[in-house]
Amino acid sequence: MKRILVILSGVLIALITISGEAKQPERPNIIFILTDDQSYGMMGCTGNEIIQTPHLDQLASESVLFTNAHVSSAICTPSRVSILLGQFERKHSVNFNSATAISEEAWAQSYPVLMRKAGYYTGYIGKNHSPIGKNGYETGLVERSFDYWYASHGGVFFYPKEYRDIYMDALADTQVEILEEGVDQFLDPNARRLKGAINFLDARPDDRPFLLNLNFNIPHGATTRTMRQRDTDDEMYRTLYRDQDIPLPENYIAKADIKTPKLPAWLHHAEDRQTGYDYVDTPETQRECTIRQMQCLTGVDRLVGSLREKLRQLDLDQNTILIYASDHGLFMGEHGLGGKSLCYEKTTHVPMLIYNPTQKTGFRSDALVQTIDIAPTILSLAGVGIPEAMQGKDIAAFANGRQPKVRDYLYTENLWSTVFGNPRCEAVQTEEWKYIRYYKNENLSAVQKTKLAKEFKIPLRVMLYEVHESQFAVYRSFVEDPVSGEKPVYEELYHLAEDPNEVHNLINEPGHQTTLDELRAAWKVEIKNARGMGKPKVSIHSNMNSDI
């Protein structure tokens, strides 16, 4: 009997050993979808009664939809770098005006690199607007960091083949549909091979989980401006929404009707605004831009529906987590403003959701979350360690139906202060209140520089957009001076619960001193946390010889 028991024990141990792999929880696949310039209220599920986004609305109903999600910096490059590294701009120090690129050391701690190192098959499709390595976009480091690359640096535009050679072999001509071809190739071994795509493996391996990053350049203004309603375009890109009454934003002001600027002219040099944002100046041009934005997002919505169907066909739907967000919002004439970069809700408040197929029902959360939380959350969902350098919060618990408190105060900032008129600013907010502080704006004028460029026949790119390494010193003062005690020259206080459009500045109104004191104290803590310790891990980089 004793011998039989020993034999049976040995057999049982062997069976446990053999089946151990199967009993280990399978690591999920993760798809992260990022749009461009999409403010919070631009889907049906976030309150837009006109736009057609049925697939995104269905996805949101099955997900945790964050109703109080914000970016950390409301402009493309710093926001996208913040998402990749899980850091505030004040720590990573990469922007259009910083004369820097992400160093190889910093990039090694990004979530895509860490996921690949942990065994994930990784892909990147669409827009990259993050300079990485010693020579920025020309380094080639980011392309080599993924197993599959079907992307381009800078804008993708509505007709990508006109601007980016990598997309020339696609069958489609329009952005969403071209990127969908890349998604099909990444997911499906039997899909058509795209000659422009860079593959380090012939096909996605069946025995490894995958991470796919799908980055749109939609509904960005530079994309919608290039739409031409060609006969070959899908019907939705030509006629959808054109027979409907498109209302203007509640607090829209045409340029000709501005009597008192939202911010003082000595602080916000609105006359220097980039010319690309002049669509907000009249109701007619504003409505046309809005129609094009909605058409593009309906295209994205259709892709999301096709993507979910593809996952079902490939039997991947039960183990694939979907994350959806935008890099920032966009002013559409609210307060007479165009562009982004300030700390108002229209530009910092974005849609964000996490879909977990094992979660039974969806729900909404008003937790104070940020896009810098995406990187640590992806790593956590994959069972990968989170680097200490990441400042975002791990919010993976939401994907399992729980609603933990994330943060008491949410911090946003703008360090892109240039010839185009925007002042430096920071904001701290709770679920109910927001406090914004601004600093002196002594930048040269884009209007004057443009005049000089024409007079002396200097290319406008050289005069307005090129950044020399010496600009790094100015940028560092933007980063460090407020931390070291620089005083604000203007402040705002908004009661978001009663004034979500941030119309009534209560900074000088009696009765709010306790709230103001609280938020000023919180700002002092949050800006130091955002700055972090030590030198930024950057490569000093000029864009003077760059095509981007």
Side-chain angles (χ1 to χ4, degrees):
M1 176 63 74
K2 185 175 181 181
R3 183 179 177 184
I4 293 173
L5 288 174
V6 170
I7 293 172
L8 289 174
S9 298
V11 171
L12 181 60
I13 291 170
L15 287 172
I16 292 173
T17 301
I18 292 170
S19 63
E21 289 289 328
K23 290 187 176 182
Q24 292 296 320
E26 188 177 358
R27 291 191 292 175
N29 306 308
I30 299 174
I31 299 177
F32 173 40
I33 302 170
L34 186 69
T35 57
D36 197 335
D37 277 11
Q38 183 183 354
S39 298
Y40 178 78
M42 292 190 70
M43 298 189 295
C45 58
T46 57
N48 193 309
E49 297 180 356
I50 298 176
I51 195 168
Q52 297 176 27
T53 53
H55 300 293
L56 284 167
D57 297 344
Q58 179 62 37
L59 179 64
S61 72
E62 301 168 10
S63 308
V64 50
L65 173 63
F66 295 101
T67 61
N68 212 351
H70 289 71
V71 299
S72 52
S73 298
I75 190 169
C76 292
T77 287
S79 179
R80 288 170 181 256
V81 173
S82 291
I83 291 170
L84 289 165
L85 300 181
Q87 297 175 355
F88 289 100
E89 181 190 343
R90 221 171 208 94
K91 181 176 177 67
H92 66 64
S93 292
V94 179
N95 203 324
F96 294 113
N97 60 326
S98 62
T100 59
I102 303 172
S103 70
E104 293 192 23
E105 180 184 0
W107 180 238
Q109 296 296 296
S110 67
Y111 81 82
V113 173
L114 293 173
M115 291 286 281
R116 191 183 191 195
K117 186 177 180 181
Y120 270 73
Y121 177 73
T122 61
Y124 194 103
I125 296 172
K127 174 180 178 176
N128 172 53
H129 220 166
S130 303
I132 299 168
K134 184 177 180 181
N135 296 314
Y137 297 108
E138 282 74 27
T139 303
L141 175 60
V142 63
E143 293 92 325
R144 298 191 300 271
S145 299
F146 293 89
D147 296 300
Y148 177 84
W149 174 267
Y150 190 56
S152 53
H153 304 304
V156 180
F157 304 99
F158 191 73
Y159 303 106
K161 294 178 181 178
E162 295 184 358
Y163 300 91
R164 311 297 182 201
D165 290 342
I166 193 170
Y167 306 117
M168 289 301 295
D169 184 51
L171 298 177
D173 292 315
T174 48
Q175 181 186 145
V176 174
E177 290 65 36
I178 286 177
L179 298 190
E180 184 171 0
E181 291 184 42
V183 172
D184 286 344
Q185 181 180 350
F186 177 84
L187 292 174
D188 190 350
N190 297 314
R192 176 177 176 269
R193 303 291 93 179
L194 291 159
K195 295 177 181 178
I198 300 172
N199 295 273
F200 291 95
L201 295 173
D202 291 334
R204 179 180 60 81
D206 292 333
D207 59 345
R208 289 167 58 187
F210 65 78
L211 165 70
L212 174 59
N213 302 271
L214 176 55
N215 291 259
F216 291 102
N217 189 200
I218 277 176
H220 192 281
T223 292
T224 58
R225 278 200 307 275
T226 61
M227 297 173 74
R228 301 192 193 106
Q229 293 80 49
R230 293 173 173 169
D231 291 341
T232 53
D233 292 350
D234 190 283
E235 181 73 16
M236 84 170 85
Y237 299 132
R238 292 185 287 120
T239 63
L240 188 61
Y241 305 117
R242 294 193 175 277
D243 61 346
Q244 295 182 251
D245 181 23
I246 309 297
L248 292 165
E250 289 181 10
N251 50 333
Y252 173 83
I253 306 175
K255 183 177 181 180
D257 297 330
I258 297 173
K259 300 295 188 292
T260 303
K262 176 61 174 170
L263 291 169
W266 53 263
L267 175 66
H268 182 208
H269 306 162
E271 72 279 3
D272 290 317
R273 183 193 67 194
Q274 287 168 292
T275 56
Y277 299 121
D278 58 5
Y279 59 81
V280 305
D281 291 349
T282 69
E284 294 75 21
T285 53
Q286 196 277 352
R287 286 192 179 97
E288 176 62 25
C289 184
T290 300
I291 287 171
R292 294 183 181 200
Q293 287 179 327
M294 293 194 299
Q295 289 172 338
C296 285
L297 282 171
T298 298
V300 171
D301 179 80
R302 184 172 65 180
L303 183 149
V304 169
S306 299
L307 170 62
R308 298 192 73 186
E309 178 58 32
K310 173 68 74 172
L311 292 173
R312 283 189 283 270
Q313 292 173 2
L314 297 174
D315 199 26
L316 297 169
D317 58 310
Q318 294 303 306
N319 193 38
T320 300
I321 292 171
L322 301 178
I323 300 174
Y324 184 98
S326 182
D327 63 351
H328 48 72
L330 184 70
F331 290 118
M332 293 298 292
E334 296 86 355
H335 314 293
L337 296 171
K340 41 224 173 188
S341 303
L342 299 177
C343 291
Y344 293 129
E345 291 292 286
K346 185 61 195 251
T347 55
T348 66
H349 187 195
V350 294
M352 182 168 156
L353 62 82
I354 303 176
Y355 166 74
N356 181 0
T358 65
Q359 184 177 307
K360 301 303 181 184
T361 58
F363 62 95
R364 292 176 174 240
S365 172
D366 62 358
L368 294 172
V369 299
Q370 293 193 265
T371 48
I372 59 169
D373 300 335
I374 291 172
T377 299
I378 287 176
L379 294 174
S380 177
L381 290 168
V384 180
I386 300 170
E388 290 185 7
M390 286 191 176
Q391 297 171 301
K393 307 291 185 181
D394 173 11
I395 57 173
F398 286 96
N400 297 314
R402 299 191 296 277
Q403 295 202 55
K405 187 176 182 65
V406 180
R407 49 175 60 85
D408 293 317
Y409 301 99
L410 189 144
Y411 172 84
T412 55
E413 60 190 2
N414 175 54
L415 294 168
W416 189 68
S417 185
T418 68
V419 297
F420 297 114
N422 290 317
R424 292 173 291 139
C425 54
E426 299 121 16
V428 170
Q429 65 190 86
T430 64
E431 294 175 2
E432 191 170 359
W433 290 89
K434 178 189 284 187
Y435 164 65
I436 312 176
R437 55 195 284 138
Y438 299 83
Y439 302 95
K440 59 185 178 181
N441 186 355
E442 299 176 338
N443 294 301
L444 295 174
S445 166
V447 171
Q448 292 300 316
K449 294 189 78 172
T450 298
K451 182 179 178 181
L452 285 171
K454 292 178 179 178
E455 182 180 353
F456 290 92
K457 296 181 172 50
I458 301 171
L460 275 179
R461 173 193 161 86
V462 173
M463 187 64 84
L464 298 179
Y465 292 99
E466 287 193 352
V467 179
H468 189 269
E469 286 93 336
S470 62
Q471 174 63 28
F472 181 62
V474 178
Y475 178 80
R476 289 309 298 167
S477 72
F478 289 176
V479 170
E480 301 290 5
D481 288 357
V483 182
S484 302
E486 182 181 7
K487 301 296 183 183
V489 296
Y490 191 77
E491 296 174 291
E492 292 175 307
L493 178 67
Y494 294 104
H495 192 187
L496 297 176
E498 296 182 359
D499 180 23
N501 292 327
E502 297 164 306
V503 175
H504 306 292
N505 181 12
L506 304 176
I507 196 72
N508 294 319
E509 296 293 323
H512 304 298
Q513 193 60 48
T514 300
T515 298
L516 184 57
D517 289 344
E518 174 195 346
L519 294 176
R520 280 173 173 161
W523 164 84
K524 191 172 184 179
V525 173
E526 296 301 324
I527 192 173
K528 288 182 179 178
N529 289 339
R531 167 62 181 85
M533 304 294 291
K535 297 188 301 183
K537 292 180 169 57
V538 294
S539 297
I540 308 304
H541 170 63
S542 166
N543 70 349
M544 296 175 69
N545 297 314
S546 173
D547 293 330
I548 307 302

